Amino acid sequence: DVVMTQSPLSLPVTLGQPASISCRSSQSLVYSDGNTYLNWFQQRPGQSPRRLIYKVSNRDSGVPDRFSGSGSGTDFTLKISRVEAEDVGVYYCMQGTHWPWTFGQGTKVEIK
Amino acid sequence: EVQLVQSGAEVKKPGESLKISCKGSGYSFTSYWIGWVRQMPGKGLEWMGIIYPGDSDTRYSPSFQGQVTISADKSISTAYLQWSSLKASDTAMYYCARLRVVDTAMIDAFDIWGQGTMVTVSS
C-alpha cells in the first residue's frame, strides 16, 4: 500500500501567521491519465471532514483563498497564508491514485 | 442541496448485528459512488469500501474485506454498511461520502460527506 506521511503531526500557529503541512507518498501519485489524485481534507472539532483541495492544487467551492495546495510526484504541501481561528482542526492528505487509497495520519492545527 | 444524511447513533452489544444507512439527495444517486470511512475515537480516517448504486459494484479496502458488508438500494437512494457480529473494536464514528471512480483511481474524492453515525459496542 502507498504510505502517506504527514509532517508535522501537531502545528501550533499564531493567528494571522502562515502555516504549512507536508505530505509525502511512498510512490509517485501520477496516474496513467496524467493526473495526480492528491486531496486535502479539513476536519474541525466535532464535525465531518470537508474536502479543501483536489488534484493537488484545485480549491473546492467555498474554500477561502488563503488555502493553497502544491507539489508533484511524491511531495505535496498545504499552505494557509494567514491562519484564522476557524482553521483549527485536523488536516488529512489522501491519495486516490493507487489502490487501496490511503490517508495520511493527520496534522492537528491549533492556535498558540 | 446535495447532501448525504446518515442514520442515528447506535449502542450495541458484542456479537449483535447492525446495519447503518446513508441517504443521498439533491443529485443523481446512481451516477456517483458512495464510500464508507471509519474514525475510531481520537484517531484518523480510514477508508473502508465503496459501492456504485447504479449496478451495486462493490469494492473493499483489504483491511476491511470480510469484516463488513456494503450494499445499496437505488430505489430509495440509500447505501448501507452492516456487521453480522460486532466487536468492541468496531466502536467508532462512521462516515459516508460521495466519490467518482475510473478504473482504480478516485478521480473525484469524497466531495460530499454525511454527518456521521456513532456506533458504540459495549457489554
Side-chain angles (χ1 to χ4, degrees), chain A residues 38-71:
Chain A
L38 185 282
N39 309 275
W40 289 96
F41 296 89
Q42 174 196 60
Q43 188 175 30
R44 291 170 171 153
Q47 294 189 14
S48 299
R50 164 200 184 195
R51 194 179 70 182
L52 298 177
I53 302 284
Y54 61 95
K55 287 195 288 187
V56 181
S57 59
N58 295 274
R59 239 185 341 265
D60 270 276
S61 174
V63 174
D65 61 7
R66 64 180 180 275
F67 289 94
S68 64
S70 63

Side-chain angles (χ1 to χ4, degrees), chain A residues 27-40:
Chain A
Q27 297 178 38
S28 171
L29 298 185
V30 179
Y31 190 58
S32 55
D33 65 1
N35 288 305
T36 299
Y37 295 111
L38 185 282
N39 309 275
W40 289 96

Side-chain angles (χ1 to χ4, degrees), chain B residues 4-120:
Chain B
L4 296 172
V5 178
Q6 298 185 229
S7 50
E10 301 275 0
V11 179
K12 292 289 192 179
K13 290 181 167 35
E16 292 186 331
S17 62
L18 176 64
K19 193 174 189 177
I20 62 175
S21 66
C22 168
K23 183 174 176 61
S25 61
Y27 73 99
S28 173
F29 190 69
T30 53
S31 297
Y32 288 81
W33 294 72
I34 293 289
W36 288 94
V37 176
R38 182 176 78 174
Q39 188 168 40
M40 300 176 78
K43 301 298 184 183
L45 303 173
E46 301 172 272
W47 164 74
M48 301 174 72
I50 58 172
I51 188 163
Y52 188 70
D55 61 8
S56 292
D57 184 8
T58 308
R59 307 176 192 179
Y60 295 92
S61 167
S63 300
F64 291 91
Q65 179 83 47
Q67 308 305 308
V68 295
T69 301
I70 294 171
S71 60
D73 183 342
K74 63 184 180 182
S75 70
I76 54 171
S77 300
T78 301
Y80 302 96
L81 177 65
Q82 69 180 85
W83 296 259
S84 58
S85 180
L86 287 160
K87 302 184 282 285
S89 57
D90 292 318
T91 294
M93 181 72 83
Y94 293 89
Y95 296 100
C96 64
R98 187 180 80 163
L99 68 153
R100 286 202 282 204
V101 177
V102 171
D103 293 329
T104 59
M106 186 192 292
I107 64 168
D108 197 2
F110 297 148
D111 64 334
I112 303 293
W113 291 70
Q115 82 277 22
T117 297
M118 184 67 208
V119 173
T120 303

Side-chain angles (χ1 to χ4, degrees), chain A residues 41-108:
Chain A
F41 296 89
Q42 174 196 60
Q43 188 175 30
R44 291 170 171 153
Q47 294 189 14
S48 299
R50 164 200 184 195
R51 194 179 70 182
L52 298 177
I53 302 284
Y54 61 95
K55 287 195 288 187
V56 181
S57 59
N58 295 274
R59 239 185 341 265
D60 270 276
S61 174
V63 174
D65 61 7
R66 64 180 180 275
F67 289 94
S68 64
S70 63
S72 63
T74 61
D75 207 341
F76 304 93
T77 303
L78 176 71
K79 291 182 179 171
I80 311 173
S81 59
R82 293 174 305 279
V83 171
E84 297 188 7
E86 66 177 18
D87 300 335
V88 165
V90 182
Y91 292 78
Y92 298 91
C93 61
M94 195 211 80
Q95 66 85 15
T97 295
H98 298 286
W99 183 270
W101 310 316
T102 44
F103 285 97
Q105 321 95 300
T107 294
K108 187 173 184 177

